[in-house]
């Protein structure tokens, strides 16, 4: 189990893009799906996936996990991920453009098809829905309103679903992180998407190699936001996890534990290594490390400090790098 030396349990979930990856998470010792990136259903098909395509994909994943959580993120299209039909629609600033939940809220028929399938699949297990790139309360309310509309349609058609399916959001824009206390009042859980949170907070395109040295989860701006989001989530008593790459990087695990995170969604191949790291530390030492890191002002010093600490705990992980 992913339990620290002083007995604190950590929930390790997996991140997937395709249903066939679900088995891999079980093999690697994960206990559910923390992030299912459903947009991949759209990327490789010439036609838009039907409700049945969605439903079959979700059911295949849920079957693997029975009573373990399966967090289905609604499609995160736009930016660098296009449907076949939108491949040639170019925007001047696609990462700041019609992406993700914004795209869904302007393409309601497509969005409703997906939500209908998620709701239908919700009766087969512990299914939770998650909206990506929420950047304001208004957007969350709109998305929830569409979900309610779809529930009403299902009621009219006499189709079963879980009316209490938890509804969460990704915290991956600075505005969401900074208004987490407000958003927490209207959703059931948060999952922090550090990949985008870093990109938008530090104004560094996550896919641009020319600025990749500026992209870092060790920046005090990011650590400050993580601390504030977990504080707000705990205060509102809602679940909070980290599903960005940061959770899969051994140098950040002790810091995340020390900040109070207890649920991570990882790239499946990283589950055993991160579990080993968790089993090698105490929460007390992680709390101590987080306290020290919060007093360091420079990203360079933070990353060096974190690497040295992780090397001491698990030298073999870094020898391979
Ligand atoms: C993230 O932004 O951290 C995230 C997990 O979402 P994606 O990488 O799919 O944008
Ligand atoms: Mg993201």
């Amino acid at each position: 189990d992913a339990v620290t030396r002083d007995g604190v349990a950590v929930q390790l979930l997996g991140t997937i893009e395709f249903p066939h990856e679900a088995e891999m998470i079980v093999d690697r010792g994960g206990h559910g799906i923390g992030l299912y990136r459903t947009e991949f259903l759209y990327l490789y098909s010439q036609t838009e996936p039907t409700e049945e395509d969605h439903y079959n994909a979700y059911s295949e994943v849920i079957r693997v996990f029975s009573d373990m959580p399966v967090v289905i993120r609604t499609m995160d299209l736009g930016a660098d991920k296009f449907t076949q039909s939108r491949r040639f629609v170019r925007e001047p600033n696609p990462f700041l453009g019609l992406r993700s939940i914004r795209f869904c809220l302007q393409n309601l028929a497509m969005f409703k098809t997906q939500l209908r399938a998620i709701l239908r699949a919700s009766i087969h297990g512990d299914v939770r829905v998650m909206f990506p790139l929420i950047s304001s309360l208004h957007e969350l309310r709109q998305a929830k309103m569409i979900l309610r509309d779809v529930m009403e349609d299902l009621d009219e058609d006499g189709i079963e679903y879980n009316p209490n399916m938890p509804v969460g959001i990704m915290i991956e824009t600075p505005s969401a992180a900074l208004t987490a206390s407000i958003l927490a009042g209207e959703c059931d859980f948060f999952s922090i998407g550090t990949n985008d949170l870093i990109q938008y907070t530090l104004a560094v395109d996550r896919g641009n190699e020319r600025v990749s040295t500026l992209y870092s989860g060790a920046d005090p701006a990011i650590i400050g936001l993580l601390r504030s989001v977990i504080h707000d989530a705990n205060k509102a008593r809602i679940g909070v996890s980290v599903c960005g790459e940061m959770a899969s990087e051994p140098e950040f695990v002790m810091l995340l534990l020390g900040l109070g995170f207890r649920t991570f969604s990882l790239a499946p191949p990283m589950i055993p290594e991160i579990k080993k790291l968790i089993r090698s530390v105490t929460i007390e030492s992680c709390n101590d490390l987080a306290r020290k890191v919060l007093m360091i002002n420079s990203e360079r010093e933070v990353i060096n400090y974190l690497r040295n600490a992780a090397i001491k705990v698990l030298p073999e992980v870094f020898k391979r790098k």
Side-chain angles (χ1 to χ4, degrees):
D1 288 343
V3 177
T4 61
R5 277 171 45 213
D6 47 353
V8 175
V10 179
Q11 187 180 32
L12 293 186
L13 309 171
T15 293
I16 62 165
E17 271 120 42
F18 300 99
H20 69 259
E21 294 170 299
E23 295 278 1
M24 201 197 315
I25 297 202
V26 179
D27 291 346
R28 303 288 156 96
H31 288 106
I33 305 277
L35 170 63
Y36 178 5
R37 290 184 167 113
T38 59
E39 56 277 5
F40 283 84
L41 274 167
Y42 297 81
L43 302 186
Y44 298 105
S45 156
Q46 290 303 323
T47 54
E48 207 183 291
T50 63
E51 184 182 319
E52 280 324 288
D53 293 334
H54 283 282
Y55 177 77
N56 291 337
Y58 307 151
S59 302
E60 188 182 332
V61 172
I62 298 160
R63 209 173 301 125
V64 176
F65 291 100
S66 53
D67 56 352
M68 293 182 231
V70 173
V71 179
I72 303 179
R73 175 176 80 180
T74 58
M75 63 185 116
D76 185 358
L77 290 166
D80 56 350
K81 299 187 198 112
F82 305 100
T83 54
Q84 294 299 325
S85 62
R86 277 179 51 90
R87 245 174 330 157
F88 305 110
V89 183
R90 290 284 178 244
E91 292 178 289
N93 284 306
F95 277 99
L96 303 180
L98 192 62
R99 175 185 176 192
S100 205
I101 195 70
R102 302 169 181 184
F103 175 80
C104 289
L105 293 173
Q106 287 193 26
N107 290 274
L108 288 186
M110 211 168 155
F111 191 31
K112 284 185 170 182
T113 299
Q114 176 170 39
L115 292 176
R116 212 176 139 95
I118 295 173
L119 281 165
R120 280 175 56 205
S122 68
I123 57 167
H124 301 309
D126 181 359
V127 176
R128 307 168 189 191
V129 68
M130 176 158 77
F131 299 124
L133 208 77
I134 292 291
S135 59
S136 69
L137 181 62
H138 180 63
E139 236 166 20
L140 169 58
R141 286 183 174 166
Q142 279 182 300
K144 283 175 67 180
M145 196 179 72
I146 307 300
L147 184 67
R148 275 194 301 273
D149 281 353
V150 177
M151 286 180 174
E152 279 170 22
D153 292 345
L154 289 172
D155 287 337
E156 274 167 27
D157 297 342
I159 297 173
E160 249 192 301
Y161 61 92
N162 173 11
N164 302 314
M165 175 177 68
V167 177
I169 62 171
M170 292 197 61
I171 299 290
E172 50 184 352
T173 61
S175 59
L178 292 166
T179 56
S181 62
I182 298 169
L183 296 168
E186 301 199 16
C187 68
D188 301 312
F189 64 93
F190 288 159
S191 192
I192 305 183
T194 52
N195 306 339
D196 277 312
L197 189 62
I198 296 169
Q199 136 163 293
Y200 291 123
T201 304
L202 302 182
V204 179
D205 182 340
R206 65 194 254 192
N208 184 340
E209 281 176 19
R210 297 166 77 188
V211 287
S212 62
T213 54
L214 301 175
Y215 183 96
S216 171
D219 194 287
I222 303 302
I223 297 169
L225 287 180
L226 291 172
R227 183 164 86 136
S228 134
V229 172
I230 189 162
H231 171 267
D232 292 341
N234 288 344
K235 198 161 166 213
R237 297 176 188 277
I238 66 165
V240 59
S241 65
V242 179
C243 67
E245 290 299 315
M246 222 172 144
S248 298
E249 289 169 11
E251 52 267 59
F252 287 112
V253 172
M254 290 169 74
L255 173 65
L256 293 173
L257 291 172
L259 290 173
F261 292 97
R262 297 290 181 265
T263 303
F264 303 121
S265 189
L266 310 176
M270 290 308 292
I271 296 174
E273 202 152 276
I274 299 298
K275 189 179 280 189
K276 193 167 177 193
L277 189 58
I278 291 167
R279 292 175 56 85
S280 311
V281 299
T282 60
I283 285 294
E284 205 185 320
S285 63
C286 295
N287 291 346
D288 202 37
L289 173 137
R291 266 194 300 272
K292 292 206 177 92
V293 165
L294 285 164
M295 289 191 302
I296 306 177
N297 296 330
S298 106
E299 183 273 335
R300 287 293 139 92
E301 284 169 39
V302 170
I303 197 69
N304 287 337
Y305 187 82
L306 293 179
R307 283 208 179 117
N308 287 335
I311 286 170
K312 274 191 206 136
V313 177
L314 220 56
E316 63 267 32
V317 172
F318 292 88
K319 272 194 202 121
R320 285 203 301 276
K321 283 197 168 180

